[in-house]
Amino acid sequence: MKLKDKIAIVTGAASGMGKAIALDFAAEGAKVAVSDLNLEGAQAVVELIKSSGGEAFAIKTNVADDSDINALFMETMTQYGRLDILVNNAGIMDGMEPVGELADERWDKLFAVNTTAVMKSMRKAVNIFLEQGQGVIVNNISAGGLMGARAGAAYTASKHAVVGLTRNTAFMYAGKNIRCNGIAPGAVITNIASTMTNMSEFGASRQALGLPINPRAGQPEEIAKLAVFLASDDASFINGQVVTADGGWTAY
């Protein structure tokens, strides 16, 4: 029970990696706020947690909406009285557009969800952690936050920004018993492809060049195990790191 009695928020937790993280957190003893735009999916995850003897609640959250973010943190504090762990998992993909094809609307939407929402959630969490004297943040970033050949310009830039935000936050609050780390998954089998619209033929062809060296696609559960580790006291000396989990894809 690595997370016994811990209180955790997991965004984008109705499916994919977020769902796996929420389930594993609960299995390790955490009480989980299962946050997602898809409330029905979030409720299904809560039922799975409760059926296994865990504790959780579902809440509908559009992470790009300030009032929804405020409600998420307020409800978590109302139900559980504190917050120990924040997992920023919610994210969307672009259409593989290079900068020459990039529309302002795409850029603004990607940054609203993938970057600005992460900052605002971290800001909320850090101020709670400072009052409590402790806390952990885990940002699910992407290999696209480390490399230039894993997505389009908007997604790549939005995730690179979160890498910097993660490291800066870790440094700033290192003396306050607050840790902040990231995970950089490679190809993982989730439904994020459903957010990819109006694909760029040129961009997709360029990105496809790296696919033959990908050893395999990962499973959400493999990323969840890493999230549990980073959120737990087992990782007490790990701070400001972005851990790549991609089966060796970026080792080539």
Side-chain angles (χ1 to χ4, degrees):
M1 301 289 278
K2 295 178 183 293
L3 304 176
K4 184 174 175 56
D5 297 327
K6 298 292 187 181
I7 309 301
I9 288 175
V10 183
T11 67
S15 62
M17 289 181 280
K19 175 181 178 179
I21 291 169
L23 291 173
D24 270 17
F25 273 29
E28 292 290 347
K31 299 174 183 177
V32 186
V34 180
S35 164
D36 203 286
L37 187 60
N38 174 9
L39 180 58
E40 184 177 344
Q43 290 170 332
V45 173
V46 168
E47 289 306 311
L48 286 173
I49 290 172
K50 289 183 174 180
S51 68
S52 298
E55 187 171 343
F57 75 92
I59 183 167
K60 182 175 182 177
T61 311
N62 174 1
V63 294
D65 185 297
D66 286 356
S67 62
D68 277 16
I69 290 179
N70 291 338
L72 168 60
F73 281 83
M74 186 178 299
E75 185 62 24
T76 302
M77 295 298 288
T78 297
Q79 293 224 20
Y80 299 133
R82 70 175 196 277
L83 176 66
D84 301 297
I85 304 161
L86 168 65
V87 179
N88 283 305
N89 172 76
I92 56 175
M93 275 290 291
D94 57 17
M96 298 292 183
E97 305 97 327
V99 70
E101 300 176 19
L102 184 58
D104 288 350
E105 293 78 12
R106 177 83 84 178
W107 176 271
D108 292 344
K109 183 176 182 179
L110 264 290
F111 266 78
V113 174
N114 291 356
T115 309
T116 304
V118 172
M119 179 279 290
K120 290 181 177 180
S121 292
M122 289 173 67
R123 184 170 62 194
K124 286 275 188 187
V126 161
N127 283 300
I128 293 170
F129 295 162
L130 287 171
E131 287 191 15
Q132 295 176 165
Q134 59 83 33
V136 178
I137 298 170
V138 179
N139 292 325
N140 197 2
I141 301 172
S142 169
L146 305 174
M147 317 296 289
R150 294 295 179 268
Y155 183 87
T156 301
S158 72
K159 292 296 188 175
H160 271 71
V162 177
V163 170
L165 183 61
T166 298
R167 289 174 173 158
N168 177 267
T169 301
F171 172 78
M172 290 291 194
Y173 298 104
K176 301 294 185 179
N177 203 25
I178 296 172
R179 294 189 297 108
C180 183
N181 292 293
I183 299 171
V188 178
I189 298 173
T190 70
N191 65 351
I192 196 171
S194 65
T195 67
M196 299 172 70
T197 58
N198 302 319
M199 295 289 293
S200 165
E201 183 177 344
F202 171 70
S205 69
R206 291 293 296 163
Q207 294 298 322
L209 295 175
L211 293 177
I213 62 170
N214 183 16
R216 68 175 177 89
Q219 295 294 329
E221 292 76 16
E222 293 177 291
I223 305 304
K225 300 299 182 188
L226 178 54
V228 168
F229 169 70
L230 290 174
S232 75
D233 290 341
D234 287 348
S236 59
F237 199 48
I238 299 175
N239 193 25
Q241 302 306 303
V242 179
V243 183
T244 305
D246 65 357
W249 191 8
T250 53
Y252 294 95

